Amino acid sequence: MIPGPFSYRRATSIEEAIALLQQYGGDAKVLSGGQSLIPMMKFRLAEPAVIVDINRVPGLDTIEERNGLLSIGGLVRETTLERSPLIRQRYPIIADTAEVIADPLVRNLATVGGNLAHGDPANDHPATMLALRAEVVARGPSGERVISIDDFFVDTFTTALAPDEILTEIRVPAPPPRSGGAYMKFERKVGDYAVAAAAAFLALDEARKIVRAGIGLTNVSYKPLRAEAAENALLGQAPSDELFRAAAELAAQAADPTSDLRGPAEYKRAVARTMTFRALQKALSRAQAA
Amino acid sequence: MTTTPIRGLGHPVKRKEDPRFIRGKGTYVDDVKLPGMLYLDIVRSPYAHARIKRIDTSKALAMPGVVDVITGAELEKAGLAWMPTLMSDRQMVLPTERVVYYAQEVAAVVATDRYTAADAVLAVEVEYEPLTPVLDPFKALEPGAPLVRPDREQKTNHIWHWEAGDKEKTDRIFQEAEVVVSQDLYIPRIHVCSIETCGCVVNYDRAIDKLTIWMTSQAPHAHRTVFSLVSGIPEHKIRIISPDIGGGFGGKVPVYPGYVIATYAALKLGKPIKWIEDRSENLQADSFARDYHIHAELAATRDGKIRAMRVHTVADHGAFDAAANPSKFPAGLFSVCTGSYDMEAAHVAVDGVYTNKPPGGVAYRCSFRVTEAVHTIERMVDVLADELGMDPAEIRFKNFIRPEQFPYKSPTGWEYDSGNYPATLQKALDAIGYQELRREQAERRARGELMGIGISTFTEIVGAGPSHTFDILGIKMFDSAEIRVHPTGSAIVRIGVQTQGQGHETTFAQIVAEELGLPVENILVEHGDTDTAPYGLGTYASRSTPVAGAATAVAARKIREKARLIAAHLLEVSPDDLEWRDYAFRVKGSPDRFKTMQEIAFAAYTNFPLGLEGGLEAVCYYDPPNMTFPFGAYVCVVDIDRGTGQVKVREFLAVDDCGTIINPMIVEGQIHGGLTMGLAPALFEEIVYDDNGTMLTGTFMDYLLPTAVETPHWKTDKTVTPSPHHPLGAKGVGESPTIGAPPAIVNAVVDALSHLGVRHIDIPITPAKLYQLLVEKGVAE
Ligand SMILES: Cc1cc2nc3c(=O)[nH]c(=O)nc-3n(C[C@H](O)[C@H](O)[C@H](O)COP(=O)(O)OP(=O)(O)OC[C@H]3O[C@@H](n4cnc5c(N)ncnc54)[C@H](O)[C@@H]3O)c2cc1C
C-alpha cells in the first residue's frame, strides 16, 4: 500500500496555496488532514502529481460566532470541533456529527473543510450542514465567493469548488430560540462509514409548531441528500411521533441507496427511516430543552 | 537461602515479555534490517481463474532500482514452481500456465527499496485469458464443472472423503427414533487477521554457507524441515528464526509462496531479501479458516434424550488443500462434534472440495475444526430443544456426560480425559441469574421487545498429540523442552513451541519455578531459533501447555532427580532419606536440614559426588498419552434493535475449565481475547467474493474486526477439573473462548426470535441479515 510518485509543496499562506494550485492545474490536490486523500493515494485510486499542503496556512482553524453566524475554519480538526464548548453547548448536532466520524486517531487530523470538499456522500458533515442550511466560503485566484450548501455537492467526489479554489470557512446560521438538532448514524462498527445516517434540525414557534425543519441524509445516494419533502411535511405542524414517522418515511423514499456490503438498498432505506425518526425525536427534545 | 518468592503455579505473574512490547522494543521480522538488503514485492492476479498468455517483465526490469523479476518459468527450471503443502497436496509457488484464485502470486519483483518494488509491480505486464471460476463447492462437485486443478491425475474437484463413527448403528437409531431434527449450517470463510502480516528476511551467507531465514512462523522447526526437503539444502545449513510474532492464530503455520520466492531470490542474488505483505495481500491471499457447509441431524427421544448424531459436511478448501491438520485428519478433529453429550452413536462424513479461492483451511485459534464441531452441536442441541419445547439449559443437563463417566469414550472414538459439565453450567446459570432473566424475557416479549438468552456448553479437544495418531508430514506431534540450571541458581529453558502472544516466556518460567523452587524472575525462556531451541512442532491448536508444558515439567523433574543425588551428597544422607517439600530437599523427619535448588546448582558445578556428571540440565521430548479436553459453560444475553437489526450483547459470562491454571492473569487475558475473537465471526466477520471470484473484503474497511467499542464487558469465572494424564493437570485454554462464544451468541439471538418461529441463523448475524428476518416475521420497526 504505497502511493505512486508525487511531489509535495507546502504553502504558508492562502495566496501561495492558490498560486500553487493555479500553477499545477488539475494535477494538484490540496492536502488538509489527509485522511481521505492519502488512503486513496495508497490504493492508487488517486494519483495526483503534486500535493499542496495547506496545514501551515494561518487563520483557517478558528471557531467563532459573529453576526448571527457560526464560522468554522476549513482546517478545524474534528477533535477540536468535538471538544469546543461553543459547539457542544450551542450546536450539539455538529458535536454529534464529529463524534461519530471514524476514530480518535483519524479525528485528530481530519478537517471539516476536507470532509465537505471531498464530496463523499458517505462523509458525515454534509448531511448536517444541509440540515443546518450552511454556506461554504471558497477562495480562488479571483477572490472569495460564498456557496450555498444546496449548490455545493454536485456528484460523487465532485463539489462546486474549482480545482484552484480552497474551502476556507463554513458558515452556519446561529440557532433560533426553541430549536435543536441531532445527528444519528448507524454503522456496522466504530470507524465505519454510515450504513445510513440522518441529521435533523427543528425550530418551534411560541405555539410549539414547527417553523423550521432541516433533514440531511448520509450515504444513501450518489451525493449527500436533503430530504425536502420530509422537511415540508413537518412545517407548521405540532411535533408528534406520528408526524415524525410520516416524515421519516418521506425521507426514506427520497433515499436512493445502492446495495453493497453494508446491506441491500431496501435495508439502507429502512435504516435511513429509523435514523431520521430517532434524530427528529432527539432534535425535538433538545429544542424543548432550549 | 533465597528470600525471593518462587511464584510458581497459580500466581498472576506479570508477563515477562510485556516491558519490551510496551516500550516498542519488540523485534518483529520487519524490524530486521541487514546491510545491502533488497525488497521483494509480488504481482498478483486480478482474476480468480485465468490462463496466463504472456508475462512481459521488460518495462519493470528497465526501471532504475529494479534488480530482478522472477516468474514461474524461471522457478520451474529450478524445480521450485510447486511446493508441497502440509496436507500432502501441492501448491503453486508461481504459476507457469494458469492462476487459480484472485490475488494469487504471479511474479515477484526485487528492488533496492520498497517503493520502487511497489511501482515495478505495476510495470509487470501480464496478459490473461479469463476462465470460468468455480466458486460454489456444491457446483464444483457437479459433473462437467470446470476443473480447478487439471494438474492432478484425478479429473475432479473432489479432494477427499473422510468419515468417523458407526454409520450402520447411527442410521438404525435414526430410523427408529421418536424425534429427528435436521439443520443446514454454514460456517463462513473468515481470516485470522493477525495484526502483524506475514513476511520474512532471508540471508544466504556464502562465507559460511548458511541460510538464515527470519520469518513469522508458528512452527519454525517444521518449516526448517520442509525447507530442507524442498530445496535439498542440508538441514544444519538452514537456520529459521521466528522473532517476536504479532499474532499467529493458525495463519502462520502454512508455508506461503512468498517465503519460497524470497529464499530463491536470496540464493540467486546473493543479497539479503526482505518480503513483507501489506494488509490487503494478507487478507486476500493468506490462509483462510472455516468455510464448512454442514448438514446436521440429531435423533432423540420425545422427552429430550439425544440418541445419535449424523453430520455431512462439504469443506471448501480453495485451490489447494493447504490446511495444516495432522496427516490422518484431513477434516481435523471435526469428529469431536458430539460435544459434551452422551449418545449411543454418531456418524460424521466430510468431503473436501477445490474451488477458485485462496487455499487453506487453517485452524484459526482452534484445534483443527473444533470450532466448526462445537458450533454444530451447540446449535443442534438448541434446535432440538426448540422442537421439543424444552428449555436449552434443561436439555443440556439431561444429556451431559456425567462426571462419573470419565474417562469417557465418545461415539466417534475420542477418550475424554476429565470433566464436570453439570457443575460448570450450574455455576454459570446461578451467577447470571438465569431464572430471573427468563422472567424478564417474558415481560419484554409481552411488550414487543426482543431479548434472548443463549447457552453454550462446549468441550474442546486440544494438545495434539499422541504419536500413535498424530503427525504432520510424518513428524510426530511431540514437543520439547531443554533446561539448564546455571551455577548461581538461575536457569535457561528452551522450548520447541513458539509464542505469538500467549505469554510462554512467563508461564513456562513459572512451571520451572514450581518444579525446581527457583524464583520465576531467574528463569529465562527462549524459543523460536532452530539453531538453539529443541525440535518441536510449534504453537497452535492450544498445544503448548498440554505438550511442551508437560515436557518442561518432566525435564524439570529429571533435573530434580539429579539434584536429589547432589543434595544427599551435601547433606551426607542417602537420597532415599530426602523428600522434596516447600521447594527444597529436606531430610525426612528433620525438615530443618535441607538444601535449596540454588545451593544444589552451585554444587553441581563445584562439589558434585564422585561418579556423577557435573552440570544440571535435562531434555524432554514429551509424547502425550492422550489429548486434553477443556470445557466451559457460556451464557449470553442479547437485545435486538427492531429499527436497525443490530444485536447488542448486554451480558456475557464465561465459566471456563482448563484444568490446573498456571497463571490466572494470563488465562483471563486469553479468555478475553478469545471471546472477542468469538464475537467477531458471530456478528461481524466474513470473507465475501463477487460472482467473478474477486474478494470484496480486502481491507479492514470491509472485513470487520470488532474493536473495544463493539466488545461487551466479559465476565469470567472458572471451575478446575485437572487432566488426569498431564503432569501438571493443565489442559490448555487459548482456543476455548473462540470456540465456545459464537454458538452462545447465535443461540441468544435465535432465542430472542424463537417465539416467531426462528430456529437457526447462519453467522455472521449482521444487522442487514437480521433486519430482513424481522421484516419477514413482521416485527421490524
Ligand atoms: C479509517 C477512516 C474512517 C473514516 N470514517 C469516516 C466517517 O465515518 N465519516 C466521515 O465523515 N469521514 C470519515 N473518514 C474521512 C475523514 O473524515 C476524512 O478526513 C475527511 O473526509 C477528509 O478530511 P481531510 O481533512 O482528511 O481531507 P484530505 O484527505 O486532506 O482531503 C480530502 C479531499 O478534499 C480536498 N480538500 C481538503 N481540504 C480542502 C480545502 N480546504 N479546500 C479544497 N479542497 C480540499 C483534497 O484535495 C482531497 O481531494 C474516515 C477516514 C478514515 C481514514
Side-chain angles (χ1 to χ4, degrees), chain A residues 1 44 189-190 267 274 278, chain B residues 119 278 641 643-644 705 710:
Chain A
M1 266 168 239
R44 302 202 183 206
K189 60 172 270 195
V190 69
Y267 171 64
T274 299
R278 292 178 188 177
Chain B
D119 288 344
D278 69 25
D641 182 339
T644 60
L705 291 188
E710 287 72 39

Side-chain angles (χ1 to χ4, degrees), chain B residues 27 66 113 121 139 194 204 310 374 400 488 496 633 668:
Chain B
T27 303
V66 173
D113 66 89
V121 160
K139 293 211 175 109
S194 49
Y204 173 63
R310 197 158 57 186
V374 164
F400 277 148
T488 52
E668 199 186 348

Side-chain angles (χ1 to χ4, degrees), chain A residues 30 32-37 102 110-111 115 123-124 167 185 192-193:
Chain A
V30 173
S32 287
Q35 298 303 297
S36 288
L37 183 57
T111 67
N115 197 288
N123 275 0
D124 291 298
L167 190 164
K185 173 177 179 177
D192 189 19
Y193 290 94

